[in-house]
Amino acid sequence: MLVPDIDVLVCDEEGRAALEQMPGVRPVHYDPDEPLPPEAATAEILVPPFLSPASGVRLAEQMPKLRLVQLLTAGAEIWVGNLPDGVALSDCKGAHGGATAEWIVGALLAVYRDLPVFVRAQDEGRWDYHRTDELDGKRVLIVGAGDVAEHTVRRLEPFGVSTTLVGRRARDGVHGIDEVYDLLPRYDACVVIVPLTEDTRGLVDARFLAAMPDGAVLVNAARGPVADTDALVAELTSGRLRAAVDVTDPEPLPAGHPLWSAPGLLLTPHVGGSVPGAMRRAYGVAVEQIAAFVRGERPPNLVENGY
């Protein structure tokens, strides 16, 4: 007896094309801004849009046979705890680590070499010659020890940077998060790349920032709520710390928000993973996860306990 193919709702043509070659599934294209197609009544797998808003969770509520949500992002915070019982969640860990690490290196270079300052001078037609800092020889503490951290370490090594990793718990080559306040004073920069969970929300608070030495650089490539915005603004306004952030709280950042004009801040609009190859790599990971699910196996990227 032939087993019917599993319907998979997929939000773009690139995804439909990637899934078409997979045995055991039938990709069905949908527009997240339009009513779901009739196949939503029987589809067992949903692939939401990349960086889908919190409202995307409502799609799952319209799929009575849903068994798996396969994300195109590594961040899963808007889905965790918001899916019906029995629906598994798989993230896209492994797809965006390289691009995000590239942004981190670029942000550190920009801050240390004063590139935002020179761009402003260029806009004003002003020759602002001055000596800058350098990335070479810096000590960087990386809070988060997953895929993005591994890519970041590899990309920083050629610049003569020494790195130390901090994870949820201590293991070979990784310090535990309980050590972070003892470690922070020893490092020139701290890169934060943890997922947003109840444990990491507000992790970078006034105490965390106060533990960083004068002149240090904070880089947030995680999620906006991982950092206490008011505490960060206070440190930047004092001139004691500098920062580069690709994420904010709130996001998008509204007009007139203090972060727009905070001194010593490089701010980008959540573009760390938004590069030409992002979707190709994301669907490469998604296909592997869905294939495991269809075979009756546990998807390698299954999200449990918020990770």
Side-chain angles (χ1 to χ4, degrees):
M1 178 178 175
L2 290 176
V3 178
D5 288 345
I6 294 174
D7 284 342
V8 180
L9 292 196
V10 62
C11 54
D12 54 50
E13 286 301 319
E14 191 167 358
R16 184 193 58 76
L19 291 167
E20 264 186 343
Q21 308 305 315
M22 182 190 301
V25 304
R26 182 169 67 113
V28 178
H29 178 262
Y30 73 95
D31 184 336
D33 296 321
E34 299 290 337
L36 290 179
E39 290 87 350
T42 56
E44 298 181 37
I45 301 174
L46 169 68
V47 181
F50 181 68
L51 293 179
S52 55
S55 60
V57 176
R58 297 174 191 162
L59 296 174
E61 298 168 354
Q62 303 172 53
M63 301 175 63
K65 301 295 185 181
L66 184 65
R67 296 170 58 209
L68 173 70
V69 173
Q70 173 58 53
L71 304 181
L72 299 176
T73 61
E77 66 276 359
I78 68 170
W79 299 88
V80 172
N82 292 318
L83 287 172
D85 291 343
V87 177
L89 178 65
S90 175
D91 67 24
C92 214
K93 179 177 63 180
H96 309 297
T100 303
E102 219 176 63
W103 178 90
I104 290 167
V105 175
L108 285 167
L109 283 168
V111 171
Y112 281 125
R113 298 311 304 264
D114 272 359
L115 298 188
V117 174
F118 291 127
V119 168
R120 292 186 183 101
Q122 179 185 356
D123 289 341
E124 298 168 5
R126 179 169 47 86
W127 190 259
D128 182 20
Y129 174 83
H130 61 271
R131 189 174 66 177
T132 72
D133 204 341
E134 60 185 335
L135 186 54
D136 182 44
K138 291 296 187 289
R139 297 158 301 174
V140 177
L141 185 68
I142 301 176
V143 180
D147 176 59
V148 180
E150 294 173 5
H151 281 280
T152 301
V153 168
R154 289 201 299 270
R155 282 162 173 76
L156 285 173
E157 282 177 352
F159 288 93
V161 172
S162 61
T163 54
T164 298
L165 299 180
V166 175
R168 280 182 289 173
R169 56 190 176 277
R171 54 189 186 273
D172 288 346
V174 179
H175 292 267
I177 191 64
D178 57 322
E179 303 174 68
V180 73
Y181 295 108
D182 292 329
L183 292 167
L184 282 167
R186 310 177 202 171
Y187 290 85
D188 303 296
C190 177
V191 175
V192 182
I193 43 177
V194 294
L196 177 61
T197 68
E198 287 309 306
D199 290 335
T200 63
R201 185 179 296 273
L203 171 68
V204 182
D205 57 9
R207 180 190 175 196
F208 186 106
L209 296 169
M212 297 175 66
D214 291 354
V217 177
L218 174 76
V219 178
N220 187 1
R223 288 292 189 267
V226 167
D228 181 321
T229 300
D230 292 340
L232 177 59
V233 169
E235 287 284 10
L236 293 171
T237 302
S238 75
R240 199 182 71 82
L241 300 179
R242 291 173 289 174
V245 302
D246 188 44
V247 289
T248 61
D249 182 25
E251 188 175 308
L253 199 64
H257 193 281
L259 278 177
W260 286 119
S261 55
L265 177 65
L266 171 63
L267 189 157
T268 59
H270 206 152
V271 296
S274 297
V275 295
M279 288 300 95
R280 172 179 53 80
R281 289 187 287 268
Y283 277 112
V285 173
V287 164
E288 294 175 356
Q289 307 306 307
I290 293 172
F293 181 84
V294 170
R295 292 193 301 266
E297 301 170 4
R298 180 184 186 278
N301 283 7
L302 203 66
V303 176
E304 296 176 311
N305 300 319
Y307 287 80

